[in-house]
Each structure stands twice: as structure tokens, then as C-alpha cells.
Amino acid sequence: MKYIDKIKTASLKKDAIILAIESSCDETACAVIKGGREILSSEIMSSMTEHIPFGGVVPEIASRMHTTAISLTVKNAVEKAGITLKEVDAIAVTYGAGLIGALLVGVSYAKALAFSLGVPLIPVNHVRGHVSAGYLTDLELKPPFISLLTSGGHTAIIDVKDYYTYEVLGGTLDDAVGEAFDKVARVLGLQYPGGPNVERLAKQGENNIELPVMLKGKKGYDFSYSGLKTAVINYVHNKEQKGEEYSKEDLACSFQCSAIDILVKKAIQAVKEKGYNVLSIGGGVAANGYLREKLTLECKKRNIKLVLPEKKLCTDNACMIGAEGYLQYLNKNFADLTLNASAFVEIGKQYN
């Protein structure tokens, strides 16, 4: 029986064991998830230190590091889960969005593994994975709810209508919030990754530098971080050209407040407008302490249930891919061995 014919007739299991692979950027990750909500193991090998001298991720370096790390990462995840590969019911893998070379490593490995085991291959949208991190945080979480996505490449407010239907209420018109943090970090002389370093510096400063208001006067749920980022860069350049001193700590704090306060405001607004009472967040910037504190406070004031994933589930990981992969498994959204990676995938779009 051909592989595709075999997976089409695969019987589904409620407590299916999903082996998930994530390689969209500089983390090589593998996790074993049972029943979509139970984490049996999670392994991450990062090439971050290799990119620090360059001030950001170098795609070629990331791809090469994935090729050396992926076999060991999968092996460790399976062993720590206390299972054998024969017990795996399906392989889930990030096919997009991300760095094309990095994605190809994970997709190629996943295809070979799924074929050798004779189990379904599940293609997962990386962004949908960030949304599904909420299911690993609150085992009772179910749609509908609002998801605030704050990653390095995406910023959006999503109406999660059901497990498979998403509506993007608004997103960034230019830079994502994570990109803005990285670019501001660079002009402040901070090392990559920028987000955590800007946050650390901001804790020592005050929000006392006036920065432009994003999309002033415009309603809706869109964001724009290009102007805010440029304002910070211009502020620094003007001070340096005039030989004037300025507080990096205060600038970092003022930028962080401007970048994050609007996220909180619009996310809360979306929850109320849709008549929901649940807000979930995901993406790397969701690990930011100021954002977590601000959201917790504002949701408490308005009696909104906040689903706040652990920081390790906000940054890139394979657990979230396994959680989303399980939902696609139940929907029999399987791929054949022609599956290819895609650098750009629409937010919330399923493979089929």
C-alpha cells in the first residue's frame, strides 16, 4: 500500500501521541504531545550564540545548525517522553512561515520519519502554533476567544471562532513588534536578541520621553511599528550629533511602553467588542514581563480570563506545533510526501 493511501485510511485516536518538529528560525525543537494537551517531553537546541556577532539571525548559519541538531533533538525528545518511535501516531512539522532553508530541514526530516514509520504527516502553520500554545496552558480552553499574537515576524489580533476558523481582526502594516524591539536594541548598542535586552534596560528607566502615537486618530485593530522605531533611531542620532547626553534606560522604557500599551488596549477592546470573556496571548514578545503584568492588571479590572502561557511556550518551541498538530490530526489534515516548505504563510491559514 502506498504511503498516501495508508494515511488516508488511518484510524484516529483520542489520546494520539504526536511527535512535533519546529525549525522555522534559529531553534531546533522537538516535542512529544499526548492528546493535544499533555506535554510528554520538549527539547530545544538553539543556535542563538552563533548569530550574536552578526546582530541577528543569519539564515545560512541557522540552516546548517539545524542539520547538525535535528537528529539528536528528536532522539532526546523521544527518550525523555519514555516512549519508542513505534508508539508515535503522527508527525507534525512546521512548514511555514519562516526561513526557507531552516524550514526545509525540519520538513525533510519529518517526511522521512513519517514515511519510515507509516504514520500521518501533519503540516502546521507556525502562527497557528503560537495560538495553540494556549491549549497547553489552560486545559479547559476552547473557542471562541481572542488571541493576541506578538512574535518576531507577526503582530495581530485574531478572533478564534472555533478550532479551525480564524479571523484576523487586524495586524501590523509594517514592522512586527518583535522586529521593532530588535531594531531599537541595535541602535541602543544592545546585543541580539533585542527583546530581552531592551526589557532589562527598560526596568532601570522611566517612561518620560515623548514618542509618536501609533496610527493616531485611526480606529480598528491594525498596528504600525515603523514610525515608532524610526522615532527612537532619530532621537538617538539627534542627541549624538549634538553631543548631548541622554538616558538609554529612559528611552528603552518609553519605547517599551509605547510599543506594548497599544497591544493591550486593542486586545482588550477586541474581547469586549466580540462579547467574549477570554484573551490568550502567544509569540516571543508575550514573554515580555511588562506586557504580562499590564495584561494581567487590565484583564483583572474587566473580569476577562487571561490565558498566559509560560515564557518557554511563548518563544519558538515544538510543544505548540504538537498542540496545533493534534487539532489538524483530528481533522485528518494530512500531507503527502510532496509537502514543501513556505517562507510566507497567511496568518491562521491551514495547509489545505
Side-chain angles (χ1 to χ4, degrees), residues 160-233:
V160 182
K161 297 179 179 294
D162 59 47
Y163 289 114
Y164 304 102
T165 308
Y166 291 2
E167 179 187 355
V168 179
L169 301 179
T172 182
L173 303 177
D174 36 62
D175 290 348
V177 62
E179 289 178 284
F181 267 89
D182 283 339
K183 291 173 180 177
V184 166
R186 193 173 296 123
V187 78
L188 291 176
L190 303 176
Q191 280 192 339
Y192 172 84
N197 289 321
V198 170
E199 181 185 357
R200 277 190 284 271
L201 191 64
K203 289 179 180 178
Q204 304 169 40
E206 300 291 335
N207 179 18
N208 57 14
I209 297 175
E210 185 176 350
L211 294 172
V213 177
M214 182 186 299
L215 299 177
K216 187 175 182 180
K218 292 187 178 181
K219 297 181 180 180
Y221 297 105
D222 285 333
F223 301 94
S224 173
Y225 283 96
S226 180
L228 177 60
K229 168 207 68 182
T230 301
V232 173
I233 293 173

Side-chain angles (χ1 to χ4, degrees), residues 97-157:
L99 303 176
I100 191 67
L103 288 166
L104 281 169
V105 176
V107 169
S108 299
Y109 193 95
K111 288 198 291 186
L113 188 56
F115 177 76
S116 68
L117 296 175
V119 299
L121 174 67
I122 306 168
V124 174
N125 180 335
H126 180 83
V127 175
R128 291 184 70 98
H130 277 305
V131 174
S132 289
Y135 300 128
L136 298 169
T137 303
D138 182 349
L139 302 186
E140 303 301 320
L141 177 63
K142 59 182 180 180
F145 59 87
I146 294 296
S147 179
L148 173 61
L149 174 66
T150 61
S151 72
H154 300 86
T155 302
I157 293 178

